[in-house]
């Protein structure tokens, strides 16, 4: 990036025509004007640094806690228009992908930019299928967890431990090495997730089976026991596959930002995915699906919904309607629409989840209530997904694990893009220091 010279202000007429892709700024402290180039709808924050009050001034920074209006990268993976409720992976609308693809097809699309042809798809599925086993020592490591350990805690730790099993993974600039770790991570996440669940139930682990599809295999590892065989219901397999597609990527959210932040230090992918999963674990992020179920259970019945809504409104942000609201979607979350429709199909197989009526009533009231309407709070992806997971028989504590499995493909796609980006550098934000000026040390007796 070349330096940008301080310039005289543009004539108002020229600026008004909008023909120049630049921003003219006048610093009221000095009276100087600057022309800052605009590209792709953004200015570069580093271009503000030239704006100084004098030679000793560090230069102007932009302050943006929580990255409300800062693009941290250029990406070609996922597009979201939050005002219109649009989500696309590599240009394809999420609705079409959810209807016509398998999750593994979508994972390939995210990672490689194009939908696979038949040969590419078969090879890809073969790679993923043949990497599903985990090292026996990793299994023993999982055994060491307490019987009531949270499955997300187990998943995060076990994925981080994988970096010690595959030391070549540190070679992040070797594309072939990266590909191998991508196969391993996408293949082994369901195995680790299922083992974490079995461990928490005090039941023996069920090893993966290569004759089953990705989701059939996962459900089998979850629900088969040595005492009886298990055949996953085709409608539930399809529902899980669609949920995996909907959760696969969501551009620069908290977890993905963690993945890119850690990855920018050239950390291996296992440690980076563990960090991203830790971010996902939080109740404001992927942990919200678990919180939604707790909330619906706590409300208990439809007549109690208005009192709960009142509490949320009076709590002024202290108590939230979990599964509602989104940083980017200010209209509706397109994923929530698909999930709500799918919930009905799942309940035809499993029987109606009684919590659904409470959820529907919450949504009905919230969508008419001024508090939620004014703040543009709509159901998000987590509002109905937990109801489906529960209907499938998955315990509440394992819900976020079911988010982490498909999000792994998105994290890895974003990580690969980061490493190939010529502008890639270690992520290192600035701060505004508000602490003490320099002061002298005071011995302990004199404090
Ligand atoms: N219930 C009640 N009030 C809310 C909610 C909610 N769920 N979400 C936001 N608000 C209010 C908030 O109190 C604030 O009000 P005021 O302007 O009076 O202070 C206003 O709406 C704006 O909220 P914010 O916290 O500034 O919004 P944000 O963009 O920083 O937060 C969010 C987005 C998703 C963290 C938030 O909406 C939230 O906490 N939702 C509940 C948790 C949840 O469902 N998370 C899953 C998100 S989707 C999947 C994922 O990302 O993993």
């Amino acid at each position: 990036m070349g330096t940008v010279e301080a310039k005289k202000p543009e004539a108002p007429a020229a600026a008004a025509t909008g023909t120049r892709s630049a921003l003219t700024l006048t610093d009221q402290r000095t009276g100087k004007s600057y022309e800052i180039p605009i590209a792709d709808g953004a200015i570069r924050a580093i271009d503000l640094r030239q704006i100084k009050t004098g030679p000793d001034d560090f230069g102007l920074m932009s302050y943006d806690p929580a990255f409300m209006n800062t693009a941290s990268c250029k990406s070609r993976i996922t597009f979201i228009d939050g005002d219109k409720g649009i989500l696309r992976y590599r240009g394809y609308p999420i609705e079409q992908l959810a209807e016509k693809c398998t999750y593994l097809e979508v994972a390939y699309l995210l990672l490689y930019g194009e939908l696979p042809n038949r040969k590419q798809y078969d090879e890809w599925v073969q790679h993923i299928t043949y990497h599903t086993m985990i090292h026996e020592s990793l299994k023993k490591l999982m055994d060491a967890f307490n019987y009531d350990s949270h499955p997300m805690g187990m998943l995060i730790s076990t994925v981080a431990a994988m970096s010690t099993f595959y030391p070549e993974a540190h070679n992040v600039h070797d594309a072939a090495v990266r590909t191998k770790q991508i196969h391993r991570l996408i293949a082994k996440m369901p195995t680790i997730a299922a083992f974490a669940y079995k461990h928490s139930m005090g039941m023996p682990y069920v090893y993966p089976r290569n004759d089953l599809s990705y989701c059939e295999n996962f459900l089998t590892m979850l629900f088969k026991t040595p005492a009886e065989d298990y055949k996953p219901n085709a409608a539930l397999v399809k529902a899980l596959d669609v949920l995996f597609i909907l959760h696969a990527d969501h551009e620069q959210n908290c977890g993905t930002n963690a993945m890119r932040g850690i990855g920018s230090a050239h950390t291996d992918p296992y440690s980076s995915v563990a960090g991203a999963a830790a971010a996902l674990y939080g109740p404001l992020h992927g942990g919200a699906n678990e919180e939604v179920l707790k909330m619906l259970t706590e409300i208990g019945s439809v007549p109690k919904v208005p009192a709960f809504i009142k509490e949320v409104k009076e709590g002024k942000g202290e108590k939230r309607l979990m599964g509602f609201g989104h940083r980017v979607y200010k209209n509706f979350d397109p994923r929530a629409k698909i999930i709500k429709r799918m919930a009905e199909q799942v309940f035809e197989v499993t029987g109606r989840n009684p919590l659904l009526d409470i959820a529907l009533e919450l949504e009905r009231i919230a969508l008419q209530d001024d508090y939620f309407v004014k703040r543009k709070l709509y159901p998000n992806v987590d509002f109905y997904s937990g109801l489906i997971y529960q209907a499938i028989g998955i315990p509440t504590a394992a819900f976020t694990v079911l988010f982490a499995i498909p999000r792994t493909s998105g994290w890895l796609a974003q990580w690969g893009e980061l490493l190939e980006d010529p502008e890639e550098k270690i992520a290192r934000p600035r701060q505004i220091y508000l602490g003490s000026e320099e002061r002298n040390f005071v011995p302990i007796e004199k404090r």
Side-chain angles (χ1 to χ4, degrees):
M1 187 77 229
T3 47
V4 184
E5 295 297 312
K7 289 204 173 139
K8 288 212 170 111
E10 283 240 343
T17 60
T19 48
R20 314 255 322 242
S21 247
L23 179 74
T24 305
L25 289 176
T26 304
D27 186 346
Q28 301 292 344
R29 301 170 301 176
T30 59
K32 277 193 194 163
S33 284
Y34 303 82
E35 197 171 273
I36 310 282
I38 299 174
D40 302 315
I43 59 163
R44 284 183 179 256
I46 196 72
D47 285 347
L48 298 175
R49 189 74 74 72
Q50 63 181 310
I51 303 177
K52 299 181 178 197
T53 50
D56 292 339
D57 186 354
F58 177 76
L60 200 65
M61 294 190 292
S62 62
Y63 175 56
D64 190 11
F67 305 123
M68 298 288 286
N69 194 35
T70 293
S72 61
C73 62
K74 291 180 179 170
S75 181
R76 293 184 159 78
I77 300 171
T78 292
F79 172 80
I80 300 176
D81 183 329
D83 292 328
K84 297 200 181 113
I86 292 173
L87 169 62
R88 295 182 200 133
Y89 297 159
R90 302 283 190 184
Y92 294 103
I94 192 67
E95 294 78 6
Q96 289 183 22
L97 296 173
E99 196 191 323
K100 298 181 198 298
C101 284
T102 66
Y103 163 66
L104 284 186
E105 226 174 332
V106 168
Y108 184 100
L109 170 71
L110 287 169
L111 283 152
Y112 302 109
E114 295 297 337
L115 285 165
N117 61 29
R118 170 57 60 194
K119 182 169 174 284
Q120 289 165 328
Y121 181 65
D122 290 344
E123 275 172 18
W124 168 242
V125 172
Q126 171 88 355
H127 281 307
I128 301 302
T129 306
Y130 282 86
H131 281 96
T132 47
M133 299 274 290
I134 61 169
H135 198 290
E136 285 294 295
S137 298
L138 205 58
K139 192 187 82 177
K140 286 187 204 138
L141 184 134
M142 296 187 78
D143 276 338
F145 283 99
N146 225 4
Y147 71 94
D148 58 354
S149 302
H150 195 287
M152 268 309 273
M154 290 180 73
L155 180 97
I156 292 165
S157 317
T158 309
V159 173
M162 279 170 78
S163 74
T164 64
F165 288 78
Y166 306 109
E168 76 273 20
H170 294 279
N171 193 1
V172 297
H173 292 296
D174 184 325
V177 170
R178 282 210 304 269
T179 299
K180 188 67 172 275
Q181 316 320 311
I182 288 170
H183 293 157
R184 285 179 172 144
L185 269 159
I186 294 179
K188 293 180 203 304
M189 283 298 267
T191 313
I192 296 170
F195 281 22
Y197 167 69
K198 286 293 195 194
H199 182 80
S200 70
M201 301 294 286
M203 289 166 85
Y205 304 126
V206 174
Y207 285 92
R209 270 181 42 190
N210 291 351
D211 59 326
L212 299 177
S213 73
Y214 194 74
C215 286
E216 279 175 328
N217 178 47
F218 178 52
L219 287 173
T220 305
M221 289 190 292
L222 280 181
F223 297 125
K224 190 184 171 334
T225 69
E228 57 188 67
D229 210 0
Y230 170 82
K231 176 130 186 54
N233 179 293
L236 300 187
V237 171
K238 174 70 189 152
L240 190 62
D241 206 55
V242 173
L243 282 171
F244 279 5
I245 291 171
L246 300 180
H247 285 87
D249 194 52
H250 214 231
E251 51 121 301
Q252 308 312 314
N253 55 78
C254 180
T256 304
N257 186 52
M259 181 80 195
R260 281 187 178 256
I262 301 169
S264 77
H266 299 168
T267 305
D268 71 88
Y270 301 103
S271 308
S272 304
V273 165
L280 187 76
Y281 190 8
L284 295 188
H285 193 8
N289 52 19
E290 186 177 340
E291 298 301 317
V292 171
L293 253 281
K294 285 189 202 153
M295 175 186 77
L296 297 175
T297 310
E298 182 196 318
I299 296 171
S301 67
V302 171
K304 293 189 180 150
V305 169
F308 182 82
I309 297 256
K310 190 162 171 270
E311 265 183 68
V312 168
K313 283 160 55 180
E314 286 171 358
K316 294 194 173 60
E318 288 300 309
K319 186 166 192 156
R320 294 199 161 193
L321 181 49
M322 298 311 283
F324 257 69
H326 199 275
R327 172 62 61 77
V328 180
Y329 294 120
K330 299 299 173 195
N331 184 318
F332 60 90
D333 181 336
R335 302 168 300 173
K337 272 195 171 177
I338 299 171
I339 294 177
K340 188 176 172 185
R341 269 201 310 272
M342 215 171 58
E344 298 291 352
Q345 293 160 19
V346 169
F347 296 153
E348 275 175 26
V349 179
T350 62
R352 195 176 169 83
N353 187 331
L355 297 179
L356 178 66
D357 293 325
I358 302 174
L360 289 170
E361 183 64 358
L362 268 179
E363 181 183 332
R364 190 187 68 77
I365 298 184
L367 293 185
Q368 295 172 0
D369 191 298
D370 236 28
Y371 176 95
F372 298 93
V373 173
K374 254 191 5 224
R375 289 170 178 77
K376 299 186 175 173
L377 301 171
Y378 293 86
N380 60 46
V381 69
D382 291 318
F383 194 64
Y384 287 105
S385 61
L387 291 172
I388 299 182
Y389 294 145
Q390 194 179 55
I392 294 176
I394 292 160
T396 316
F399 288 178
T400 312
V401 161
L402 271 92
F403 195 152
I405 294 172
R407 184 53 61 86
T408 300
S409 58
W411 287 330
L412 291 169
Q414 302 271 350
W415 171 71
E417 189 178 63
L418 165 95
L419 292 170
E420 296 281 318
D421 187 342
E423 289 194 284
E424 185 261 317
K425 271 175 172 296
I426 188 164
R428 186 17 175 127
R430 291 277 171 184
Q431 65 165 9
I432 296 175
Y433 178 70
L434 298 176
S436 306
E437 290 297 324
E438 183 179 5
R439 49 185 176 160
N440 283 327
F441 174 78
V442 181
I444 197 160
E445 314 72 52
K446 294 203 175 152
R447 281 175 224 158

